[in-house]
Amino acid sequence: MPCERKPMRYGHSEGHTDVTFDDAGKFIVTCGSDGDVRIWESLDDDDPRSINVGEKAYSLALKKRKLVTAGSNNTVQIHTFPEGDPDGILTRFTTHATHVAFNHSGSRVAAGSSDFMVKVVEVADSSQQKTLRGHDAPVLSVTFDPKDELLYPGCSRPCNLTVVVHLQTKVTSWPVLQKSNDVSTAKSLCRLGWQPKTAKLLAVPVGLKVHLYERDSWEHVSTLSDDMMTQPINVVAWSPCGQLLAAGSVGGFLTVWNAESKLCVERQKHEKGYTVCGLAWHPSGRQLAYTDTQGSLGLLDDLPTASSATKTPKAPAVKAANDYDDLFDEDDDRAMDEGLSDTHSPAKRPVAGGDDDDDDDLMPATGRVKNRSSFLDDENSLGTTVAPPTGPSLPLRPAYEGPLPTLPQKPFQPGSTPAHLTHRFMTWNSVGVVRGYNDDQDNAVDVEFHDTAVHHAMHLTNALGHTLADLSQEAVLLACPATDELASKLQCLHFSSWDANKEWIVDLPAGEDVRALVLGQGWAAAATSARTLRLFTVGGVQKEIFSLPGHVVSMAAHGEQLLVVYHRGTGFDGDQALGVQLLQLGRRKRQVIHGEPLPLSCKAHLAWLGFTAEGTPCYVDSEGVVRMLNRSLGNTWTPVCNTRETCKGKSDHFWVVAVHENPQQLRCIPCKGSRYPPTLPRPAVAILPFKLPLCQTTTEKGQMEEQYWRSTLLQNHYSFLSSSGYEIDDEGQNQNQKEQQELLMKMFALSCKLEREFRCMELAELMTQSVVTLAVRYASRSRRMNLAQRLNELAMEKANQLQEEQEQEEEEVQEEEHHTPRSLNPFARGAAASPEKPSPKPRKSPSQSRVSNVLDSMTSVRRPAPLGGPSGKQSKGPVLKPLAPKPKTKMQSTLLQMATSKAANKKAQVNPEPAADRLKQPEVPPPDLPVEDSENQKPRTGFQLWLEENRKSILADSPDLQETDVIKAAMGSFRSLSAEDRLSWTERAKGQSGEAADLKKRKRVEEAGEGDESRVKADENIAKKKKSLDTTAKLSAFAFNKN
Amino acid sequence: MDPTEVEFLAEKEIVKIIPNFSLDKIYLIGGDLGPFNPGLPVQVPVWLALNLKQRQKCRILPPQWMDVDKLEEVREMERKEDSFTPPPSPYYMELTKLLLNHASDNIPKADEIRTLVKDIWDTRIAKLRLSADSFISQQEAHAKLDNLTLMEINTTRSFLLGSLNCMFKLRSNMQPGTSTGKGPDY
């Protein structure tokens, strides 16, 4: 486009605005809904003069140092211009005036109002008013024609336009306008335009077109339209020469037609697509000011003039232009902006056909521009010299309606605030904070460490103008972009160095700018505008260099890992197309993630990139979703938190600074009403919890599932750390696993309660072997024999698997001893991806096949089981055997019991009543338990045996006991048993298997009829009685204990 | 009670600090504190906060009520109401003094806060005097005052009791029936 669209600037607060130029074209005058009239010397005027005219200003007109405004206080006021002194009230309406207009000479003002009235007032004497009634709708706009006779109020409701002659007679009306009840609901403002000078044509915006009516005959002579106009035209304005007609539409389109040729000479789109509601030509006809309903002011500069707009085909364009310039060399050199028009400017084209002089005069470029502009001014003043319109108008731009490309996001340092701020965070990470100051007094960088033990705070003068920074425990890395003289530099303050030189600077090759930088452990990396990534040691040795597939967006590092995010391509419809690479830069360098797309929320961009403190890659997008790499699921990204959910206000954000997996913490700074925190007052870090977006997290089931998966996800780092040779916190890992298994057990219990046995099985498959045995016990206690049986099979399967794995491990260790005698690391299995060690996959597959064999055999065993009761029981024995085959597991078994009771305890908490119900059922206790007991060859006390039998009842009595409390309670009630009973238990304990079984059988026979409940009651009764039995009982208990 | 004693009690209040060192949980009689992570806010009693601050081991985050807007609101309320409004904190005066004296660099608009708290204090003490005056002039036997802080009670106690004692003596002397002996000391 030949004309220059200046960027929009803030003019008024949001709302309707109007704009005009003063007579001389020196000022742009705007009014807006903030009630101010602003006088701008130019678009770049940063300090416009404001005149307050009321609460809101709807319209203004300016002529001969008089400024007339229509305000919300139902008056039309007059002010002097440019002083802005109030000069009285011209007229009043019952509602607010919608539009005011001067006549050509400036002697009269017409004002239209929402109360269906139009008033015409003499400026000199406001008592001379003429009121025009008879409209039956709010008056949208008014205008005088240049001959000062006619007034044309555009009127909304009856859909027509009325012409009044000599302020008396209604001449004609056209039913062209859309219906509306009020000015605010009118689709179009319908600002009319009279052709200046000749006053021949009246332009009326009608929908998407502009109708031109001829004076006197009032006939519709032609229509101006443009294919690009998709929404109703709001305003029209004639250029001062009367040749061009500009129109602004609702969707923000600005179009300029040549009224004669009816060709579109200029098209512009509002940069944000807001509705244009004010339009004014500069008296020179070269500039067009416009305002929108959001209160912004814009300017089109260097518009083509009428004559230049009627262009000829551009045949020998450039050459001819040169010739033409020669012709006008002698013309006065009026100061004009340089570089306004380039060689493609239409300003040149009209001359193309005119001159065939082939005289090549080498004029300096600037001179040519000057000459041309003077020529244009000449044209302008003549106004009528026209070359016949020969060619078609501007070629129509192809209307593209597909997805629109998104602007690629700019590179950023994680934890930094935008570079345009004078006080900003250059980076905030888990080590410290780097702040940049760039104001009048100071250009400095402040480095502060969270932990002052690392290093004391530093204050550096920022002579080089660094904009990027990163901070680690070892060094501070800074970088500045290239300037005209200086190359882009990378500066490193290596404060942990043990020699005297703590600093190094590297110049980048010319034309290469640092875009992102990062510090790892012992190394630094810088990504440049040449799409290269340069690696350095922290001491300044240059290392590898490689190319990135696209422009870098951000980088992060942790230990030996480097995470790079770059533009993979062009995103569409607001989405970014980012790719991610994860590299290991340790001794064995390798790429872990090979440039896969980085998943982002819809229309979001990357906001933070980093690692958790444990070394898992992690990032946050602008929608506040935190995603973490799930190494156990093929390096996929799992959303772990949505920070926006915890925001109170809509415009509040959380600015993430660090992520920790253990404890699960998301450290971020709450920003009220902004995306970034200010440097002062110093923001405080807040902690957010993780929450996986699983379904139905309000229900107990959903909650536990979320907890389980969160725990599993955040446990991945243990295996990663151990595989990369770091020490890991075994205790933490065990605790984590225990927590997971507990959760599984809880879920199991819940599903049991809900009678979802299949789900129970599914859960059991996630459990470890030891916990499955607990599940077996739970199921059998709750009389779910089918489930218990299946679980038993599963437990055996798992036990076999475990055994095999252990064997394999041993083998591996042996193998490894053969291959690499030094790596005896038991964790080496995880790092098996290395080429030296045999890959784990071939080893694993046989194990799986073996497992499947086991499965096969299991199924074959399983099938006959349900057929007959006795056979099933027989088969149970061998099935159960492997549960406690090794002495090692025996040791565990006591622990397991503790855990069982815990699990049972928790279950009991969940639902004590059904448990009690189940107890009430007079059923034989599951036979497998005693069997199991007898299998256990460990010496036990009578109390332990008794506890096993009675744990359930104790739990049922008081479900919220902890394990230790349970034992205490049990101890109490055991002591209160009669001496005989206790003796029998001890005997059983001594005699173990055979005798004990006999005893039990006897007992069972005795109690068979009564059922558990009665037994419990009996026990309780006994307990109550025995409690009163004093010291003797206690002493005897002692005696027993000694036994 | 001495004002220093009241201040001592106030030092048990909890504030948030941002330590610049790392330390595991510490187990004290009053409860466990920490763990301290550099850069991460942690709640500690005022005495520890001040101690750490003096050794430049932490930044103190001002309590929520120690904010110019909130205090202005409280001041307006206090001026409007005849009775005592609930104080921003039961130890507002002591905490303001302690924190502003030792950590004014960590508290934005410290001077304004100091003035505001002083205003609130003055208003409340004026009310207290007024009520004491009316209590005595109306010769009431007892009165109830809500929302007083410990510090405020302590400022007025010695004077009020002393003057009541004094008045009692004077009155008992004036009464013709009673002997010239001392009245019971309160």
Side-chain angles (χ1 to χ4, degrees):
Chain A
M1 282 289 158
C3 85
E4 184 188 2
R5 192 184 73 187
K6 299 269 181 76
M8 300 292 288
R9 60 165 301 151
Y10 174 83
H12 296 270
S13 58
E14 280 179 29
H16 179 79
T17 50
D18 203 356
V19 63
T20 185
F21 278 95
D22 75 330
D23 295 340
K26 261 171 77 184
F27 300 106
I28 306 171
V29 186
T30 60
C31 72
S33 57
D34 49 5
D36 283 346
V37 171
R38 299 223 160 86
I39 301 166
W40 313 73
E41 282 177 21
S42 70
L43 192 65
D44 305 324
D45 184 2
D46 283 331
D47 189 21
R49 194 131 41 86
S50 289
I51 307 168
N52 194 290
V53 297
E55 225 168 272
K56 280 183 177 180
Y58 290 103
S59 172
L60 85 169
L62 182 63
K63 206 115 205 179
K64 295 192 175 164
R65 299 173 48 79
K66 298 259 192 248
L67 175 70
V68 175
T69 53
S72 57
N73 51 354
N74 306 347
T75 57
V76 175
Q77 298 178 71
I78 192 159
H79 288 79
T80 59
F81 182 84
E83 294 81 20
D85 302 324
D87 201 11
I89 289 173
L90 267 187
T91 183
R92 291 175 193 276
F93 290 97
T94 52
T95 68
H96 64 79
T98 53
H99 195 202
V100 288
F102 268 107
N103 68 353
H104 189 64
S105 63
S107 58
R108 287 176 184 166
V109 169
S113 153
S114 303
D115 62 2
F116 307 0
M117 288 212 282
V118 175
K119 288 186 183 176
V120 181
V121 194
E122 293 288 330
V123 175
D125 179 10
S126 61
S127 60
Q128 291 208 16
Q129 289 196 6
K130 207 156 245 179
T131 305
L132 306 173
R133 296 168 200 276
H135 309 289
D136 41 7
V139 180
L140 282 175
S141 94
V142 291
T143 184
F144 276 102
D145 87 325
K147 291 188 177 159
D148 215 11
E149 288 169 336
L150 308 170
L151 172 72
Y152 300 95
C155 177
S156 54
R157 169 87 149 278
C159 323
N160 59 17
L161 195 67
T162 315
V163 179
V164 181
V165 185
H166 295 287
L167 308 179
Q168 293 292 340
T169 338
K170 179 166 150 186
V171 173
T172 179
S173 67
W174 303 283
V176 288
L177 300 179
Q178 294 249 336
K179 253 187 193 179
S180 74
N181 294 329
D182 188 51
V183 178
S184 57
T185 59
K187 282 218 177 111
S188 158
L189 289 172
C190 196
R191 296 273 192 259
L192 312 173
W194 261 111
Q195 195 175 24
K197 296 186 178 130
T198 54
K200 253 176 76 184
L201 294 168
L202 170 69
V204 182
V206 180
L208 305 179
K209 294 169 182 157
V210 178
H211 287 185
L212 294 179
Y213 295 93
E214 204 182 16
R215 187 189 168 85
D216 298 330
S217 71
W218 309 119
E219 264 166 24
H220 178 192
V221 289
S222 60
T223 303
L224 299 174
S225 66
D226 183 16
D227 294 347
M228 293 296 285
M229 282 283 183
T230 51
Q231 279 170 294
I233 295 170
N234 232 357
V235 284
V236 294
W238 286 92
S239 72
C241 62
Q243 293 276 312
L244 300 178
L245 179 72
S249 83
V250 170
F253 284 100
L254 291 163
T255 309
V256 181
W257 288 281
N258 184 321
E260 229 163 286
S261 60
K262 301 183 182 50
L263 296 176
C264 175
V265 297
E266 187 60 61
R267 253 185 228 110
Q268 285 290 339
K269 175 104 173 66
H270 185 290
E271 61 188 27
K272 290 202 179 104
Y274 295 145
T275 298
V276 174
C277 60
L279 205 56
W281 286 85
H282 188 268
S284 73
R286 300 297 311 278
Q287 291 184 333
L288 183 65
Y290 58 99
T291 56
D292 63 33
T293 50
Q294 298 295 311
S296 306
L297 170 68
L299 192 68
L300 296 183
D301 205 350
D302 200 31
L303 282 162
T305 52
S307 51
S308 66
T310 60
K311 54 177 191 163
T312 53
K314 42 172 180 178
V318 180
K319 234 180 188 176
N322 280 342
D323 307 339
Y324 199 82
D325 287 333
D326 298 345
L327 280 177
F328 288 86
D329 262 351
E330 308 81 24
D331 278 4
D332 60 330
D333 281 359
R334 273 178 53 180
M336 260 311 262
D337 285 350
E338 293 190 354
L340 286 179
S341 26
D342 53 0
T343 45
H344 300 292
S345 165
K348 286 187 170 173
R349 292 177 192 149
V351 283
D355 212 311
D356 55 355
D357 193 356
D358 248 351
D359 181 10
D360 272 356
D361 196 341
L362 291 170
M363 284 292 298
T366 50
R368 270 179 16 209
V369 171
K370 273 183 196 167
N371 292 334
R372 199 181 308 126
S373 56
S374 61
F375 151 67
L376 288 173
D377 283 346
D378 286 353
E379 281 293 302
N380 212 353
S381 55
L382 290 174
T384 44
T385 53
V386 192
T390 48
S393 75
L394 292 180
L396 283 175
R397 242 187 283 167
Y400 175 67
E401 284 169 3
L404 293 170
T406 328
L407 277 182
Q409 77 173 106
K410 287 186 182 135
F412 67 96
Q413 285 297 109
S416 68
T417 51
H420 61 80
L421 303 171
T422 52
H423 290 204
R424 59 181 285 243
F425 290 112
M426 290 170 86
T427 190
W428 180 319
N429 60 22
S430 53
V431 179
V433 181
V434 181
R435 273 169 302 185
Y437 300 100
N438 186 10
D439 50 20
D440 304 338
Q441 314 150 1
D442 209 6
N443 191 355
V445 173
D446 251 351
V447 184
E448 204 180 295
F449 297 87
H450 294 315
D451 193 342
T452 43
V454 178
H455 197 263
H456 58 79
M458 290 186 271
H459 183 84
L460 320 162
T461 48
N462 191 2
L464 292 169
H466 292 303
T467 53
L468 305 172
D470 196 23
L471 182 65
S472 78
Q473 304 271 1
E474 303 169 317
V476 184
L477 192 63
L478 299 158
C480 60
T483 57
D484 291 341
E485 300 101 48
L486 296 168
S488 176
K489 284 185 203 313
L490 198 66
Q491 183 178 16
C492 179
L493 308 175
H494 182 208
F495 52 76
S496 68
S497 155
W498 45 261
D499 67 3
N501 275 326
K502 307 271 185 199
E503 193 180 326
W504 52 269
I505 294 188
V506 167
D507 274 15
L508 261 67
E512 219 174 309
D513 264 351
V514 180
R515 289 283 167 83
L517 47 80
V518 79
L519 271 170
Q521 199 173 26
W523 53 273
T528 68
S529 55
R531 298 190 182 180
T532 49
L533 198 143
R534 299 168 178 277
L535 290 173
F536 300 86
T537 64
V538 77
V541 179
Q542 298 200 45
K543 284 171 76 188
E544 290 91 342
I545 172 169
F546 62 92
S547 288
L548 290 172
H551 277 302
V552 72
V553 175
S554 196
M555 294 201 294
H558 180 274
E560 293 170 342
Q561 301 178 82
L562 171 65
L563 187 65
V564 188
V565 171
Y566 56 86
H567 286 290
R568 198 163 41 84
T570 312
F572 286 95
D573 282 344
D575 286 337
Q576 298 283 342
L578 304 180
V580 61
Q581 287 188 342
L582 178 63
L583 296 110
Q584 285 274 21
L585 300 172
R587 196 170 294 162
R588 279 193 307 275
K589 297 187 172 66
R590 63 198 176 93
Q591 195 170 359
V592 183
I593 299 180
H594 308 264
E596 272 127 52
L598 188 74
L600 289 171
S601 306
C602 202
K603 296 191 195 303
H605 56 261
L606 191 66
W608 185 81
L609 182 73
F611 284 87
T612 64
E614 286 77 13
T616 311
C618 193
Y619 67 92
V620 184
D621 64 25
S622 55
E623 294 294 307
V625 180
V626 185
R627 290 188 181 80
M628 197 180 275
L629 187 73
N630 190 349
R631 294 188 202 262
S632 64
L633 192 64
N635 286 341
T636 50
W637 298 91
T638 308
V640 291
C641 181
N642 188 347
T643 58
R644 295 307 302 278
E645 277 172 10
T646 32
C647 288
K648 280 181 197 121
K650 208 178 173 189
S651 53
D652 293 358
H653 289 85
F654 280 101
W655 194 66
V656 176
V657 292
V659 181
H660 287 239
E661 286 179 77
N662 185 28
Q664 297 174 7
Q665 287 179 340
L666 193 66
R667 299 185 181 176
C668 44
I669 295 169
C671 307
K672 224 172 179 185
S674 68
R675 275 190 181 274
Y676 308 105
T679 52
L680 279 174
R682 250 187 96 124
V685 178
I687 290 174
L688 290 183
F690 290 122
K691 186 167 182 274
L692 297 192
L694 287 192
C695 305
Q696 288 185 312
T697 43
T698 46
T699 64
E700 203 175 359
K701 173 173 167 282
Q703 254 168 28
M704 287 196 285
E705 282 163 349
E706 194 267 336
Q707 273 178 33
Y708 174 72
W709 285 110
R710 175 153 45 94
S711 170
T712 344
L713 177 70
L714 299 184
Q715 196 207 344
N716 284 336
H717 68 268
Y718 288 117
S719 57
F720 165 72
L721 285 179
S722 66
S723 74
S724 45
Y726 290 102
E727 268 184 27
I728 56 164
D729 173 17
D730 279 330
E731 208 174 296
Q733 187 178 12
N734 289 338
Q735 205 176 342
N736 230 334
Q737 273 166 353
K738 209 175 129 196
E739 181 191 288
Q740 286 164 24
Q741 295 302 328
E742 251 171 46
L743 278 167
L744 279 176
M745 201 60 213
K746 274 191 207 170
M747 286 193 264
F748 179 87
L750 189 72
S751 317
C752 249
K753 199 179 79 186
L754 298 171
E755 315 248 319
R756 296 213 171 255
E757 301 197 357
F758 190 84
R759 198 181 280 169
C760 286
M761 270 312 275
E762 287 172 330
L763 287 168
E765 268 157 35
L766 295 171
M767 296 176 186
T768 59
Q769 184 254 338
S770 51
V771 182
V772 175
T773 57
L774 293 185
V776 174
R777 202 168 297 178
Y778 183 89
S780 53
R781 292 240 167 115
S782 52
R783 310 281 183 271
R784 297 179 193 279
M785 300 319 290
N786 186 15
L787 178 65
Q789 199 178 330
R790 281 171 189 277
L791 285 172
N792 254 332
E793 284 156 15
L794 185 73
M796 193 175 117
E797 218 174 280
K798 292 217 174 203
N800 285 340
Q801 216 173 322
L802 198 71
Q803 210 171 346
E804 271 161 31
E805 267 172 29
Q806 273 172 355
E807 276 166 23
Q808 265 174 26
E809 238 167 79
E810 280 159 27
E811 280 168 31
E812 269 166 41
V813 171
Q814 282 169 355
E815 275 173 47
E816 274 161 19
E817 273 169 349
H818 286 298
H819 286 294
T820 53
R822 58 197 164 102
S823 73
L824 271 168
N825 182 5
F827 293 116
R829 201 166 55 93
S834 66
E836 304 164 27
K837 294 170 193 167
S839 142
K841 275 178 186 168
R843 256 182 282 126
K844 252 186 187 166
S845 55
S847 89
Q848 274 158 356
S849 67
R850 254 178 275 172
V851 170
S852 60
N853 285 341
V854 171
L855 257 175
D856 290 343
S857 64
M858 288 292 290
T859 46
S860 61
V861 176
R862 206 185 289 160
R863 255 167 229 142
L867 290 177
S871 66
K873 264 182 190 169
Q874 274 172 3
S875 70
K876 229 173 243 169
V879 171
L880 279 169
K881 259 187 185 171
L883 285 182
K886 285 165 265 171
K888 201 175 154 197
T889 42
K890 250 185 254 162
M891 280 301 287
Q892 282 174 347
S893 68
T894 44
L895 289 173
L896 287 182
Q897 281 165 14
M898 307 272 274
T900 343
S901 65
K902 240 185 199 169
N905 189 356
K906 270 159 197 160
K907 183 231 76 190
Q909 280 176 9
V910 168
N911 194 357
E913 281 178 30
D917 286 347
R918 259 177 255 134
L919 282 177
K920 270 177 208 158
Q921 292 166 6
E923 232 179 89
V924 183
D928 53 339
L929 290 175
V931 176
E932 194 187 12
D933 286 340
S934 60
E935 294 287 341
N936 258 331
Q937 293 302 306
K938 200 183 122 224
R940 289 179 165 196
T941 63
F943 169 66
Q944 270 173 322
L945 285 177
W946 180 85
L947 180 63
E948 259 169 45
E949 287 276 294
N950 292 306
R951 178 188 291 278
K952 199 95 199 187
S953 60
I954 292 169
L955 279 175
D957 286 345
S958 41
D960 29 80
L961 286 182
Q962 286 299 312
E963 177 55 29
T964 47
D965 297 332
V966 170
I967 291 180
K968 269 185 211 158
M971 201 74 109
S973 44
F974 184 72
R975 277 177 196 166
S976 57
L977 286 180
S978 70
E980 291 166 35
D981 280 355
R982 276 203 304 265
L983 208 64
S984 78
W985 281 105
T986 22
E987 269 169 24
R988 264 163 67 178
K990 274 182 199 160
Q992 280 294 335
S993 56
E995 287 170 46
D998 281 356
L999 264 173
K1000 261 183 217 163
K1001 265 178 204 163
R1002 241 181 285 146
K1003 202 178 178 191
R1004 216 175 289 140
V1005 172
E1006 284 168 21
E1007 290 171 356
E1010 298 172 7
D1012 288 349
E1013 174 74 316
S1014 59
R1015 194 173 63 190
V1016 172
K1017 278 190 178 164
D1019 283 353
E1020 276 174 5
N1021 288 339
I1022 293 167
K1024 275 171 197 162
K1025 275 176 208 161
K1026 297 297 168 177
K1027 260 174 201 161
S1028 55
L1029 278 181
D1030 43 14
T1031 46
T1032 50
K1034 276 180 191 166
L1035 277 174
S1036 65
F1038 239 85
F1040 151 72
N1041 273 352
K1042 272 178 185 169
N1043 277 348
Chain B
M1 230 153 104
D2 218 32
T4 49
E5 284 175 283
V6 183
E7 196 176 88
F8 178 77
L9 291 179
E11 284 183 353
K12 267 195 191 166
E13 287 289 285
I14 299 292
V15 285
K16 263 191 187 171
I17 61 163
I18 298 178
N20 59 17
F21 58 96
S22 74
L23 186 70
D24 260 349
K25 239 182 181 176
I26 49 176
Y27 303 95
L28 305 178
I29 300 175
D32 304 346
L33 298 177
F36 297 89
N37 289 313
L40 208 60
V42 63
Q43 294 202 323
V44 295
V46 171
W47 59 265
L48 183 60
L50 293 179
N51 184 289
L52 291 174
K53 174 71 196 172
Q54 278 166 347
R55 290 189 285 148
Q56 301 194 327
K57 290 280 186 195
C58 75
R59 270 187 316 123
I60 297 180
L61 296 180
Q64 286 213 322
W65 55 266
M66 204 177 275
D67 174 78
V68 171
D69 292 340
K70 282 185 184 147
L71 286 175
E72 266 172 1
E73 217 171 87
V74 170
R75 185 183 62 179
E76 293 319 307
M77 274 290 280
E78 194 66 60
R79 285 181 175 169
K80 217 165 60 187
E81 299 274 321
D82 283 337
S83 58
F84 289 90
T85 54
S89 148
Y91 296 103
Y92 71 99
M93 194 60 195
E94 301 91 303
L95 288 181
T96 312
K97 191 157 169 278
L98 286 170
L99 295 183
L100 290 184
N101 282 353
H102 294 104
S104 55
D105 50 335
N106 293 153
I107 296 167
K109 299 183 181 171
D111 291 337
E112 276 180 60
I113 286 170
R114 202 189 293 271
T115 323
L116 278 168
V117 170
K118 188 83 172 82
D119 282 354
I120 294 170
W121 170 262
D122 287 346
T123 321
R124 290 172 70 94
I125 289 297
K127 277 186 195 174
L128 194 59
R129 285 206 203 98
L130 209 68
S131 61
D133 180 53
S134 64
F135 173 70
I136 288 166
S137 61
Q138 290 171 19
Q139 303 216 341
E140 296 286 347
H142 55 84
K144 183 182 160 191
L145 285 177
D146 284 341
N147 294 328
L148 275 179
T149 66
L150 191 56
M151 194 58 140
E152 287 157 353
I153 294 170
N154 270 301
T155 10
T156 192
R157 178 187 284 135
S158 56
F159 173 74
L160 185 65
L161 291 187
S163 43
L164 282 175
N165 260 337
C166 215
M167 275 162 53
F168 177 74
K169 278 181 204 161
L170 293 174
R171 281 206 185 110
S172 50
N173 282 342
M174 266 160 43
Q175 299 230 334
T178 51
S179 64
T180 52
K182 299 168 202 159
D185 262 357
Y186 285 107

